[in-house]
Amino acid sequence: KEARASLEDYVDLYSRLIRSASGVAKTEADIAKATSLVSKAFKAGGASASEQASGILQLGQALGSGVLQGDELRSIRENAPILAKAIADAFNVPIAALKSLGEQGKLTSAKVFDAILKAAPDIERQFKATITTIGDSFTRLHNEFTAYVGNLAQSSGATAAFRAIIDGLAGNIGDVSKAAAAAAAVILSRYIPAMI
């Protein structure tokens, strides 16, 4: 959740890294760290939610195939320039030379994975400088909601009742959103003047 990526994309990348980097990573903790770093790198690179999802999918596919090249490499260069720079630094070449290295099959999963881990300080620093967008907030809400429903279903079997509540909200979303907007306006009108 800290990386502000959708839970589905995050889990997909993690599972792909588990499969592709199991012989490369020293521990499962390294795979978890790489998953977080990749997600943060796309976000820090200014990728939209769809670009981030697509880029994460393509990177996972590339690492699963054993080499980073073609469309997968282009996606990283465009949407996660921090990762592209980290990989280029690992090979002591400029970013422009990555295409040629990819065509030669030199951007192996092991070297790319290692470059991602070594770039952690730069990725973390640039990610912390980004601003959380409204889309990020909705992504986090979706992730938390998904986790809550999963835990609720496991602990109490109350999924059917919860589904009924959700269906009720969905059927009356216009009224619910009007009520929420009115409540927000009341709260803001009381607290903002005091803050100013």
Side-chain angles (χ1 to χ4, degrees), residues 19 39 55 64 78 80 88 103 175 178-179 194:
R19 289 192 301 271
S39 296
E78 291 175 0
E103 290 169 350
D175 294 335
K178 287 176 189 171

Side-chain angles (χ1 to χ4, degrees), residues 172-182:
N172 297 293
I173 194 68
D175 294 335
V176 172
S177 63
K178 287 176 189 171

Side-chain angles (χ1 to χ4, degrees), residues 69-87:
Q69 58 187 352
D71 288 340
E72 293 87 358
L73 177 58
R74 182 185 50 75
S75 177
I76 288 175
R77 289 179 60 193
E78 291 175 0
N79 301 313
I82 302 166
L83 286 181
K85 182 180 182 323
I87 296 165

Side-chain angles (χ1 to χ4, degrees), residues 21 23 33 41 46 48 50 66 68 74 83 86 96-98 115 135 144 154 156 168 172 196:
K33 182 178 180 181
S48 68
S50 62
L68 177 61
R74 182 185 50 75
L83 286 181
L98 290 178
E144 294 293 336
Q154 286 180 350
S156 67
N172 297 293
I196 294 173

Side-chain angles (χ1 to χ4, degrees), residues 28-96:
E28 201 168 308
D30 282 346
I31 293 173
K33 182 178 180 181
T35 303
S36 176
L37 290 170
V38 167
S39 296
K40 289 176 179 180
F42 274 98
K43 187 60 68 177
S48 68
S50 62
E51 289 168 337
Q52 183 179 20
S54 174
I56 285 173
L57 174 67
Q58 289 182 319
L59 178 62
Q61 290 172 338
L63 293 176
S65 73
V67 67
L68 177 61
Q69 58 187 352
D71 288 340
E72 293 87 358
L73 177 58
R74 182 185 50 75
S75 177
I76 288 175
R77 289 179 60 193
E78 291 175 0
N79 301 313
I82 302 166
L83 286 181
K85 182 180 182 323
I87 296 165
D89 288 349
F91 283 86
N92 295 314
V93 297
I95 291 174

